Amino acid sequence: MTVNALEAKSFDQPDEKRRPPKTQVDVVTLGDTTLGRFTFEPGWRWSETVKTVVHTDTCQVNHVGICAAGTLTVEMEDGSRATVSPGHAYTIPAGHDAWVEGDEAFVGYEVMSAATFAKPA
C-alpha cells in the first residue's frame, strides 16, 4: 500500500451511509482505502438485521478492526466464539453471526470490510 495524498475525512460526514435495522455503517474513502465506523444498537444481531439486506445465511465478509465501545460476541459456523470489548483489535473470517452484549452500543472501526458490509446483495 502506498499513500499518494494527504487527506482527512470525518466519519460524522461520511461518503456513504448504510442503515439496516439497528445498524449504522459510515464509510469514508481515502485514496484506494475504504474505512468504516460500524455502530450496532443494543439488541442488534447480524442474523436479524444485516441478513435482511444481504440475504446470506451467515456474514460472508472478513473483518479487521478495533472496538471503541460496547461488546460484541461473534460465533463462527463451527460454534467457536469470541467476545470483543473496548480496546480490542479483532479479525473475523467469513461465516459468522454476531450480536451486541448488554445495553451499550458497539462501535467498531474497520479497515477491511467497509466497502461491502451491509450493502444490499
Side-chain angles (χ1 to χ4, degrees):
M1 175 185 285
T2 301
V3 175
N4 297 313
L6 175 62
E7 290 184 80
K9 290 185 178 179
S10 172
F11 283 105
D12 294 331
Q13 296 177 343
D15 296 319
E16 182 181 356
K17 296 179 182 182
R18 299 185 204 127
R19 299 294 189 259
K22 298 184 180 184
T23 308
Q24 296 179 32
V25 177
D26 298 309
V27 178
V28 297
T29 301
L30 302 167
D32 294 332
T33 304
T34 303
L35 305 161
R37 177 177 64 190
F38 295 4
T39 304
F40 306 145
E41 297 173 17
W44 179 92
R45 186 178 185 114
W46 184 92
S47 57
E48 297 169 358
T49 57
V50 179
K51 181 178 181 174
T52 66
V53 174
V54 300
H55 307 293
T56 57
D57 289 335
T58 58
C59 182
Q60 295 301 304
V61 175
N62 294 287
H63 302 270
V64 176
I66 299 165
C67 175
T71 302
L72 187 75
T73 296
V74 180
E75 182 174 55
M76 300 303 300
E77 290 174 334
D78 68 4
S80 60
R81 287 186 181 187
T83 298
V84 177
S85 299
H88 285 166
Y90 57 87
T91 59
I92 305 168
H96 60 272
D97 193 6
W99 55 90
V100 171
E101 299 279 359
D103 58 1
E104 181 182 1
F106 170 84
V107 179
Y109 290 88
E110 298 212 356
V111 298
M112 186 172 183
S113 65
T116 57
F117 183 77
K119 225 176 193 178

